[in-house]
Amino acid sequence: VARPSPLAASAAAASASTLAARRGAAGASSSPASASAPALAAGRAAREDDSDTSLVKVSLPDELRLAKLRLAKAKGLGTAEASALLSVAAVQLALGDTGQAADLAGRALAALREAGEPEGTVRHARATRILANVNIVEERPGEGLHLCQECLTACVEAGDGAAEAVARLAVADAQLALGRPREAMKEAALAADVAKGAKDQRGAVAALQALAAANLRFGSSGGPRKAAQAAEEALALARALGDAKEESEALLKLSKVRLAKQELEAAYSQCEQAVAAAQRSGCRRTQALVQREMAALLLVARAEMETAVEAVEEAIRLSSEIGDALGEIAARHVAASLYIQDDRLLDAMETAEAALALARELKDRRQIKEAVDLVVQLRAGDGQTESALEAAQEELDLVTAGDNPDPRRELAALQRLVSLQLTSEDVEAATKTAEKALQLEFGDDKKVEGFAMQLMAEVHLNARRYEQALASATKAQRLLQGEGDIRAVSNVLQLIFDLHAETGNESEALRSRHSLRLVYQAAGWRDEEATVLLGLSEMILQVRGPREALKPAKEAVAIFQDIGDKTGEASGILVVAQCQVASKAATDALRSTVSARRLFQSLFDAAGEAQCLLVAAEVYTRNGAWDEAARVAREAQKICQKGGETKAEGDCLEVLVQLRISVLQKEEESGRRHKPADIEQAVSAVSELIQILDQLPETEERRITILSQLSALKLLAQDNEGALKCADEALKLAVVLDRPLPMGQALVCLSEAHHGLGQVRDAVQAAEDAVSLFEQLGDPGLLENAKLAVEQAKRPLPERPPNTGPSSSSSAPAPSPADSVKRPRGGPSSAEFVHREMPHLHGQPPGGASSSSSQAPGPRRGFSSAVGLDGEPGRHAGQPSSMRPPSPTRRDEPNQERRRQQLLAAMEARAAPKVPEFNDSRTTSQLRLVLKHVRPDWTSSELAIVQEKFSAIKVDTADELFKQLNALGSRGFNQKLKDADRRPLKKETLDAIREYGDRERSEALRGLDPAA
């Protein structure tokens, strides 16, 4: 069934920022839930038909008439009638008529029984797959999975390889719909092997395509590589069969793999090849699909927008001509995003309304929800608040006015209305709307009742009615658990965790995570159980210490070993290493990294192997073995380079850069003269990193930071001209980016470079411009450093030995410790190295722990921020923070603010190998500073809670916050928080943040104009 693919969804999300800059309207992306909806393989049912006719070379209505004619001729002919019934069912499913498709598939099974055909044949498997896909479309993936598993058992017992392959693909469809890509991968891989064994080449192509899709959804470091292998094998088989249609789809899959690896040019090239193959096939439906995906790819890459618009409009035309309403709806979603990117809001609104009309004609609940969400977001983002509410109310009125009540669709309409009301801070109206949801006629559908109760809990939580929220959430959990909806239960338990975390109830928050583990354990979802245990281990490490954290980590490793998941086992071993480092067990930690590395090597996972080495480098760093840490980091970089893992190679080089810089800093602190070899090694590492960042998209801020570091290193090497060139390049990038913080850092760097050349006037001017920018930012530390840079720029350049380059072996005397003490701390001399690390520009929150919420199921690797030094005097590395503050009167009174911060940080912390931490007074959290500036009344715990909310929607920097707020508006931004199961913020707060960001943009360049 055609639905917006993950690529199309990414494209829709990418369009948001452009509209923000021009108009402030909402992005036209589908909701995260719909974007991650499984790409169903129902359309393949027709290609698996016994007949040779293609359902897409003519229009779908014409093909339906032809299929019905064949059915009439086969009436009463047993298996022939069953095959004809399946052909008609496949076309009906492609047309979006799930009711007719299910009825016809059921009649086909009955005809096969009457004909005496035993269970476990290909026709039985095809009929079951259609029924399973109907269940998935109608949001009952669990029931679909049950049907598929029963069919698979029959096929295995019958020994029919071709039938088993079809059944396993049906199971993979259902597992992917349940959000279990790892399980889907296992079934798709088995399906491919079985199909090859049965000499079923077409079945093998279909299985390999499904395997590639599941690997892309998995989200592990080796996912894109494995997806590429599967897609390339599918492509080779399709070409051997001479099937241009399958070739086109395989090329399209490869294009998505390249995009996932950020290889944009290769992705576009393969997409063009897919277009050519689709045209050769004469299959207009495939042509429309490829054109749509090409448009989405160009939107993500922000390139050739005219070509993208032409492609998506061609996709709409083709889909309309062949009567493919689902394909047309998906194309119109992409078109709306493109129109927003091109500042054509009226066209975006028009195409969104057309998509909604088509969805209502189909009576497809999911398509209606996505289309209404799109219309509401567009109206709300354009400032049409009342119009957005009217659109939501209109959908509710249409549902309630129908003759056949649909409680699920009505509940979706009520949920949308509640979301808008909460965004408008109309808690009273939201409460009344949620109460209406509780009054729906649920009948036997306890799941809908559970969702309604969950909605009520969310409203209570938004209003800080914690007791009522917990009562409603607990009832929702009980109802959904009774229905066996594991994913829904996990969402409610997440809500319960949020509630306890917000109230600082550590024990209950951890208990909710234990409950989730038990839910997965009872359902037999061992993969998810192990993943929860790893997260629980990290959480316990942060709030209780390594001793308690080690047990769940080892349990997770044991489960992964038991189910034969080497990737999970390796990842779990790295979490064990995290606990060992926190316990100061360096030898055990290194031993664990060796074990994990061997596993990743056996999987040919270069990125995973490199992460193990980076963890080892972290251990060496903490023990002062800088040279060994650098050697290991360099080895990791070479492994990534050989494996083609460009992004991971950049991470390795970044660790190496920090290690080289730390050596220079320690020499500076001790008053020793820098060794030319150390400077040369640092310059070499930074230069390599810049080359890698040039190959990756959206790395402008990191490049500014690295260029500033390179400029400082050039000054240290007395290469003043080179320092000025690097500083000037950093400033040019910062001006294009138009962000105050990187621009200010570049200006300070430029001032020092001018000072090194004796250009006092230019040096003073650059430093004063930096002061102006940092005053806007409101950061006292950065402002003080900029003022010191002004003072430094006014001082005459000290005499120094002639510039002999970085490899100089000058015998000039090293400065004495006393001379070092005399240097101004905030205003370094031209010969003093300044580390310009800005971790917030790297997409990381404070503390070094990276954040991600679109997480596919799967374990996480490496170290979380729990292992880092927290800056408290007298504390050892990795020692857990005390949950009880010292008090002369009550030692048993818990520190609620600390509890909240630790619980929220622990929940979001990822065990990713992090850059070794080095003390640097200049580093700061830009995002936290912006929040403190806008809301000075917020306490530390409230700031932590807000940052956790932002982290859940991948907003980890102030730049990303401004970008999304401008793209979505306050309402759209709050809707995104709701979609991520987070409470929205007040509209006034979000508006103030957006105004602050706009003010920064408008005033940033004024500080560079001497006449301003």
Side-chain angles (χ1 to χ4, degrees), residues 590 612-622 625 628-630 632-633 655 659 916:
L590 288 174
C612 295
L613 288 170
L614 293 186
V615 171
E618 171 78 4
V619 176
Y620 289 127
T621 300
R622 291 178 180 278
E628 185 63 15
V632 171
V655 171
L659 286 167

Side-chain angles (χ1 to χ4, degrees), residues 229-396:
Q229 291 174 350
E232 285 168 356
E233 188 177 354
L235 177 61
L237 284 175
R239 284 174 172 167
L241 289 169
D243 190 329
K245 184 177 177 185
E246 292 287 2
E247 179 185 349
S248 174
E249 294 189 6
L251 283 164
L252 195 59
K253 199 73 69 182
L254 272 173
S255 175
K256 294 179 181 179
V257 171
R258 302 303 179 204
L259 184 66
K261 296 178 73 174
Q262 298 180 327
E263 299 170 1
L264 300 180
E265 290 186 9
Y268 182 66
S269 173
Q270 286 175 329
C271 207
E272 284 185 318
Q273 295 177 48
V275 171
Q279 289 172 343
R280 290 199 312 273
S281 73
C283 172
R284 290 193 290 168
R285 192 177 183 206
T286 302
Q287 289 174 31
L289 169 66
V290 173
Q291 292 283 0
R292 183 175 82 230
E293 295 294 344
M294 172 175 274
L297 183 147
L298 291 171
L299 182 56
V300 170
R302 298 178 183 273
E304 300 187 39
M305 298 309 297
E306 289 185 8
T307 302
V309 170
E310 290 174 4
V312 78
E313 289 178 349
E314 176 67 6
I316 292 173
R317 184 188 66 79
L318 285 168
S319 298
S320 178
E321 284 182 358
I322 64 173
D324 183 4
L326 290 172
E328 184 179 349
I329 291 171
R332 288 189 178 279
H333 277 274
V334 178
S337 303
L338 282 164
Y339 292 146
I340 291 172
Q341 180 85 355
D342 203 30
D343 200 19
R344 294 162 56 184
L345 184 60
L346 291 178
D347 289 335
M349 189 71 73
E350 181 180 338
T351 198
E353 295 281 3
L356 177 56
L358 284 168
R360 283 173 174 164
E361 285 181 19
L362 290 176
K363 298 181 180 179
D364 185 317
R365 187 187 305 120
R366 189 191 296 268
Q367 293 290 351
I368 291 170
K369 179 185 182 300
E370 292 175 358
V372 173
D373 286 344
L374 174 57
V375 171
V376 168
Q377 286 179 22
L378 283 171
R379 293 184 181 181
D382 196 35
Q384 304 175 36
T385 306
E386 293 301 322
S387 180
L389 285 167
E390 286 173 7
Q393 186 64 50
E394 177 188 2
E395 168 62 12
L396 179 60

Side-chain angles (χ1 to χ4, degrees), residues 523-541:
W525 288 24
R526 306 200 68 197
D527 173 24
E528 286 77 7
E529 179 190 355
T531 302
V532 169
L533 281 169
L534 289 185
L536 187 61
S537 172
E538 292 181 294
M539 201 178 305
I540 293 173
L541 179 62

Side-chain angles (χ1 to χ4, degrees), residues 770-812:
V771 169
S772 175
L773 287 172
F774 289 146
E775 281 177 344
Q776 296 176 34
L777 198 59
D779 182 280
L782 290 173
L783 181 59
E784 181 63 22
N785 282 333
K787 289 179 179 179
L788 288 171
V790 173
E791 296 176 9
Q792 179 67 26
K794 294 177 180 178
R795 294 174 183 164
L797 189 67
E799 293 185 8
R800 56 167 51 168
N803 182 7
T804 55
S807 300
S808 170
S809 57
S810 170
S811 59

